[in-house]
Amino acid sequence: MVRPTTRLLIVALLAVTAAACEPGKAAGPDNFTGDARRGSDLVKQYQCGTCHDIPGIAGADGNVGPPLHRIGTRTYIAGYIQNSPDNMADWIEDPQRALPGNAMPKMGISQKDARDIAAFLYTLK
Ligand code: HEC
């Protein structure tokens, strides 16, 4: 027979193990919506291409920040932040809040615009 304390320990261990198995879970709600087509226009408008090489954006061949090829399937944003649509939108809205001290400036992008841009970036697989 399993003693109650042992049973409790097993339940606790299972809970910890289950939590550890979900590193890819998005930080925010799963109902992410964004307009990728509008996002691609915004990427041109905000001139992200002066700093980034971005596939599908004419003239976007900057080399200040990393190229955004296949950013939609990248594991981490800026090497630190779990890549999810919500985290990507947060990053674009305010990279200094997301990761203080990094080299990408806050550009005054609204939450709506940031979500559309994130939707576009997620088309880059
Ligand atoms: C003044 C230059 C500059 C501009 C303009 C700029 N970025 Fe960045 N961006 C950077 C730098 C530098 C980094 C690298 C930050 C780090 O890794 O610490 C970065 C990182 C990123 C990343 C993470 C890349 C990776 O490999 O993890 C994304 C995504 C991104 N930028 C998107 C954008 C978008 C979208 C815009 C336009 C709205 C934009 N950036 C405008 C400089 C810029």
Side-chain angles (χ1 to χ4, degrees), residues 51-54 62-69 71 74 78:
C51 289
H52 293 285
D53 191 331
I54 313 171
N63 197 24
V64 177
L68 301 184
H69 299 243
I71 190 72
R74 190 88 49 86

Side-chain angles (χ1 to χ4, degrees), residues 52-114:
H52 293 285
D53 191 331
I54 313 171
I57 304 291
D61 59 357
N63 197 24
V64 177
L68 301 184
H69 299 243
R70 299 176 64 208
I71 190 72
T73 56
R74 190 88 49 86
T75 307
Y76 293 104
I77 301 167
Y80 280 92
I81 301 160
Q82 188 75 48
N83 192 3
S84 71
D86 283 317
N87 287 348
M88 180 61 84
D90 283 349
W91 169 268
I92 292 159
E93 190 184 343
D94 190 348
Q96 294 304 315
R97 182 183 60 204
L99 185 65
N102 89 84
M104 178 162 152
K106 179 177 180 175
M107 298 170 72
I109 298 176
S110 73
Q111 193 177 57
K112 161 92 174 89
D113 286 1

